[in-house]
Amino acid sequence: MKGFRFTQFVPTQDPEKNTFENLLNIFLQLITMTGGDVAEALSWLTNLDNRYNMTNPNYGIGDFIDDLKSKGYLTEENQKGEFKITGKAEQTIRKSALEEIFGKLKRGKSGQHKTTHSGQGEERGTDRRAYEFGDNLDQIALTDSLRNAQANHGFSGEYLLTEGDLEVAENEFRSQTSTVLMIDISHSMILYGEDRITPAKKVAMALAELIKTRYPKDTLDIIVFGNDAWQIEIKDLPYLQVGPYHTNTVAGLELAMDLLRRRKNPNKQIFMITDGKPTCLKVGIKYYKNAFGIDSKILSETLKLAAQCRKLKIPVTTFMIASDPYLKEFVKEFTKVNNGNAYYSSLKGLGDLIFEDYKRNRTKRL
């Protein structure tokens, strides 16, 4: 049964923003929760307005809808004449998710990730070494080289600068990384009335926007997995919904590995957001399913793929948004075979954990 667990929600309103901007922020949150259903989101927004008086006599929800259309957030230009969000709204949702989850981060240079390795890179570092044949002239550290010449040859009338005096500045190597984000859309992601899929979508949108704006040379592929696994576009994230699926982790890992094989970057990784154990396996054209405990047949195939990822130097970081003891045992064994990482996260801290692991993996060559 589809459902959500609600706690008391008092919409915050920024006094420095006008009514439209405050309503837009809440509307975008509701769009994410409803899987892109504009009618349902507007219905929820109207109910919130009736309860918390977010509008005023001079500006109502009807005015807000008109502004959404005139400002390019909504369109009715489709076969059914229904309200749909536009590409502008999708991008704004991603930016909103980025601000919500990673808003406290200090911005750095776009598209760059430092590593501990030096070499033919893009930014001059602090390390110095002796000149070698083949070094670029623009790498020569002039001040250090002149100092060496003075120390080696003194202040004689004939000033000498030899090859042995030259030092070059090591350039910092800048890495590029290919990441696949796997999102579990099995039925358990909304089971017992707890909405786990909305935070997962927000994290995915924030990570996508972060990579596009700060690390544009990196790649991010997003896949979802239930009974099967398939790739989705970043623009599809607001519309993502949970289905009546089991959890076919094997299918997700197989697709993730296939996508990463096509990437030429040396650094590759998989992030997997899930709340349960693998319960499904496709054998030929049939599905083998068992939701009762850890099935040895399904577990064996899952661990085989974990070992293959390790052999290919693809670490898998599992973000388990559940804390059942037997689930921890599965994650522990999976992580050991893959030599990856695992986190047992609450929904609230999911974004911070994913960013920290992403950033840490950027500082080393995997």
Side-chain angles (χ1 to χ4, degrees):
M1 181 180 68
K2 180 178 179 179
F4 300 95
R5 177 178 298 169
F6 291 96
T7 57
Q8 185 177 8
F9 174 67
V10 180
T12 57
Q13 299 193 37
D14 189 339
E16 296 182 0
K17 295 182 178 180
N18 58 36
T19 304
F20 173 79
E21 291 174 326
N22 282 317
L23 289 175
L24 178 63
N25 179 56
I26 299 170
F27 174 70
L28 295 178
Q29 298 278 354
L30 295 176
I31 280 290
T32 304
M33 295 178 65
T34 61
D37 189 327
V38 176
E40 187 176 3
L42 289 173
S43 177
W44 288 7
L45 183 65
T46 302
N47 290 334
L48 288 172
D49 179 44
N50 290 334
R51 184 167 183 178
Y52 298 107
N53 299 316
M54 298 181 295
T55 59
N56 56 67
N58 298 320
Y59 191 91
I61 297 298
D63 299 311
F64 174 66
I65 295 173
D66 289 338
D67 282 348
L68 286 175
K69 292 189 290 185
S70 64
K71 295 178 185 293
Y73 292 99
L74 287 185
T75 180
E76 294 177 284
E77 297 179 0
N78 53 75
Q79 293 182 347
K80 296 182 179 181
E82 299 174 341
F83 279 135
K84 299 289 184 182
I85 60 174
T86 62
K88 178 181 179 179
E90 292 167 356
Q91 184 179 28
T92 305
I93 291 172
R94 293 197 301 271
K95 288 183 177 179
S96 177
L98 176 63
E99 181 64 25
E100 177 183 344
I101 295 174
F102 302 141
K104 297 180 181 179
L105 301 178
K106 295 181 179 179
R107 293 190 60 83
K109 291 187 177 180
S110 173
Q112 305 290 327
H113 300 291
K114 293 184 178 179
T115 72
T116 56
H117 299 267
S118 58
Q120 296 292 327
E122 299 177 2
E123 183 172 315
R124 177 163 294 198
T126 58
D127 294 338
R128 300 289 187 268
R129 62 169 174 82
Y131 173 84
E132 296 177 359
F133 179 77
D135 287 333
N136 294 326
L137 294 180
D138 59 2
Q139 286 184 260
I140 294 176
L142 184 59
T143 302
D144 298 286
S145 299
L146 292 176
R147 185 183 63 246
N148 292 338
Q150 292 176 350
N152 294 335
H153 309 293
F155 294 92
S156 60
E158 185 178 354
Y159 184 81
L160 295 176
L161 177 65
T162 66
E163 182 179 336
D165 302 323
L166 297 178
E167 286 191 13
V168 297
E170 287 277 36
N171 288 347
E172 292 183 350
F173 183 86
R174 296 289 181 168
S175 68
Q176 297 179 22
T177 293
S178 293
T179 303
V180 172
L181 178 62
M182 295 172 52
I183 302 176
D184 184 352
I185 59 168
S186 62
H187 181 61
S188 61
M189 290 290 278
I190 55 168
L191 203 59
Y192 310 118
E194 184 173 27
D195 178 15
R196 297 170 176 173
I197 191 63
T198 296
K201 287 195 294 184
K202 284 187 178 181
V203 167
M205 289 187 289
L207 185 61
E209 194 66 18
L210 181 75
I211 290 175
K212 289 181 64 177
T213 56
R214 190 182 296 189
Y215 309 122
K217 294 183 180 180
D218 284 8
T219 65
L220 175 66
D221 294 295
I222 301 174
I223 64 177
V224 295
F225 63 105
N227 290 350
D228 296 287
W230 60 94
Q231 186 177 8
I232 65 172
E233 300 295 330
I234 293 174
K235 64 181 180 64
D236 298 327
L237 281 168
Y239 311 100
L240 188 61
Q241 293 182 326
V242 168
Y245 307 126
H246 284 68
T247 306
N248 191 343
T249 307
V250 168
L253 290 172
E254 287 177 338
L255 179 56
M257 293 169 65
D258 184 55
L259 290 171
L260 289 175
R261 284 191 189 100
R262 308 173 193 175
R263 301 297 184 184
K264 303 304 180 183
N265 294 338
N267 300 332
K268 301 176 182 181
Q269 61 185 348
I270 297 173
F271 289 164
M272 179 169 62
I273 303 175
T274 183
D275 70 336
K277 61 188 181 298
T279 61
C280 179
L281 192 66
K282 195 168 186 179
V283 181
I285 61 173
K286 295 183 178 181
Y287 293 96
Y288 175 86
K289 302 175 183 178
N290 182 4
F292 303 97
I294 302 293
D295 186 287
S296 59
K297 182 176 180 178
I298 299 175
L299 177 63
S300 175
E301 292 300 314
T302 306
L303 295 181
K304 282 182 183 178
L305 286 180
Q308 288 183 30
C309 286
R310 180 175 182 174
K311 186 177 181 180
L312 295 172
K313 297 183 179 180
I314 302 175
V316 181
T317 303
T318 305
F319 299 90
M320 177 63 72
I321 47 180
S323 57
D324 303 50
Y326 73 99
L327 292 180
K328 288 186 176 182
E329 287 301 317
F330 156 70
V331 174
K332 183 179 179 180
E333 187 172 3
F334 179 88
T335 303
K336 182 179 179 181
V337 172
N338 174 256
N339 197 31
N341 297 305
Y343 299 96
Y344 305 94
S345 170
S346 66
L347 295 172
K348 185 176 181 181
L350 183 61
D352 292 336
L353 282 176
I354 285 185
F355 171 75
E356 288 302 324
D357 203 74
Y358 180 79
K359 184 173 66 173
R360 180 166 55 250
N361 285 344
R362 321 278 16 27
T363 64
K364 62 184 179 182
R365 299 188 72 179
L366 301 174

